Amino acid sequence: MITSNELLRGTLRTIVLKLLYEYGRMYGYEITQRVKELSGGEIQLTFGALYPTLHKLEKEGVLTTTSEVVDHRSRKYYELTKVGEATASTKIEEYFAFIGNMDKIMSAQSKIA
Amino acid sequence: MITSNELLRGTLRTIVLKLLYEYGRMYGYEITQRVKELSGGEIQLTFGALYPTLHKLEKEGVLTTTSEVVDHRSRKYYELTKVGEATASTKIEEYFAFIGNMDKIMSAQSKIA
DNA sequence: TTTGAATATATAATTTTCTTATATATGATT
DNA sequence: AATCATATATAAGAAAATTATATATTCAAA
């Protein structure tokens, strides 16, 4: 299980934005569960990283929050703003571009079989 | 050009190990140039991140150094140790596994067209 | 001839980001 | 009664990266 793989560094914002872009409003716990589920249990976000990131994105105007009480437990839903949707869209594109470039490096071969 | 894309965070060790694994001994400047070349100019490593990483890997016994003077300029070559080769091999596998998992997240779709 | 670009390594200060630990609280299961 | 799952959050510390700076040589152009 990848919890603190160094490669996870730098991907948190991108993951959060992608999920909110795709699924609409979500709450923090839900985001961690969705990531776990989608990755077949391999990627597990930590709350200590997630919440500060969500709060930062809110402060930046990328997302807005609405609180609800469900089953006597409070939930805080996060949703992309209009600006946030554009941000997410850009980040998603940047992700695929970056992976394409990384792939060129990580698939490089000096010795041809 | 991706110089300080946040996605680059956490990939430096992996990139360095991959290049040394594939090309054998290289010097710091050469690593930055190879990365730039392989990525079509899109990924540019910074020295402030590269050298501390190389020194740390040396300290960990992952690589060894040999200094040479070429054209009156000193070069410090880095080479994987036997332990380092195993480390690199593992890291390379981990990279592809991680990307596979990220892909599941980044390709998720809620709305089927 | 001197200025700038390319080559080459390195460190220090600061900032950003993440990990780990901790706190709080409810509901369901054992 | 205890533990697991659900739910949010912060604080201390560590790790990693950015930005700035320093040093020095070679080569080409102005």
Side-chain angles (χ1 to χ4, degrees):
Chain A
M1 195 203 318
I2 300 165
T3 305
S4 49
N5 184 312
E6 64 180 356
L7 292 167
L8 198 57
R9 276 177 176 272
T11 62
L12 190 50
R13 260 170 184 261
T14 303
I15 289 173
V16 166
L17 293 174
K18 164 67 186 180
L19 292 189
L20 293 177
Y21 189 79
E22 204 61 42
Y23 299 101
R25 65 201 286 267
M26 296 178 86
Y27 51 100
Y29 186 78
E30 187 184 9
I31 292 172
T32 66
Q33 294 313 104
R34 192 63 63 92
V35 165
K36 194 176 170 183
E37 175 206 320
L38 287 169
S39 67
E42 291 296 310
I43 296 180
Q44 195 134 2
L45 302 184
T46 60
F47 298 114
L50 180 62
Y51 287 115
T53 296
L54 287 170
H55 300 160
K56 196 175 287 176
L57 288 169
E58 188 185 3
K59 215 164 147 187
E60 290 170 10
V62 171
L63 36 88
T64 44
T65 62
T66 43
S67 290
E68 276 182 35
V69 175
V70 180
D71 290 323
H72 302 277
R73 285 193 226 90
S74 72
R75 274 186 192 169
K76 199 165 164 184
Y77 281 95
Y78 297 87
E79 192 172 7
L80 293 175
T81 59
K82 209 147 198 176
V83 169
E85 278 187 50
T87 305
S89 182
T90 302
K91 282 276 175 198
I92 293 164
E93 275 176 46
E94 274 175 15
Y95 171 78
F96 287 107
F98 178 75
I99 292 306
N101 289 318
M102 273 300 285
D103 220 56
K104 290 174 199 159
I105 296 166
M106 295 305 292
S107 299
Q109 274 179 292
S110 63
K111 308 137 187 166
I112 295 137
Chain B
M1 195 202 318
I2 300 164
T3 305
S4 48
N5 185 310
E6 63 180 357
L7 292 168
L8 197 56
R9 276 173 177 272
T11 62
L12 190 49
R13 261 170 183 262
T14 303
I15 289 173
V16 166
L17 293 174
K18 164 67 185 179
L19 292 190
L20 292 176
Y21 188 80
E22 204 59 44
Y23 299 100
R25 64 201 288 267
M26 296 178 85
Y27 53 99
Y29 186 79
E30 188 184 8
I31 292 172
T32 66
Q33 294 314 103
R34 192 64 63 93
V35 165
K36 194 176 169 182
E37 174 206 321
L38 287 169
S39 68
E42 292 295 311
I43 297 180
Q44 195 134 0
L45 302 185
T46 58
F47 297 114
L50 180 62
Y51 287 115
T53 295
L54 287 170
H55 300 160
K56 197 175 287 175
L57 288 169
E58 188 186 2
K59 217 163 144 187
E60 290 171 10
V62 172
L63 37 87
T64 44
T65 61
T66 43
S67 289
E68 276 181 36
V69 175
V70 179
D71 290 324
H72 302 278
R73 285 193 226 91
S74 72
R75 274 185 192 171
K76 199 167 164 183
Y77 280 95
Y78 298 87
E79 192 172 6
L80 292 176
T81 60
K82 210 147 197 176
V83 170
E85 279 186 48
T87 306
S89 182
T90 302
K91 282 276 175 198
I92 293 165
E93 275 177 45
E94 274 176 16
Y95 171 79
F96 287 106
F98 178 75
I99 292 306
N101 289 318
M102 272 300 286
D103 220 56
K104 291 174 199 159
I105 297 165
M106 296 305 293
S107 299
Q109 273 179 291
S110 65
K111 308 137 187 164
I112 294 136

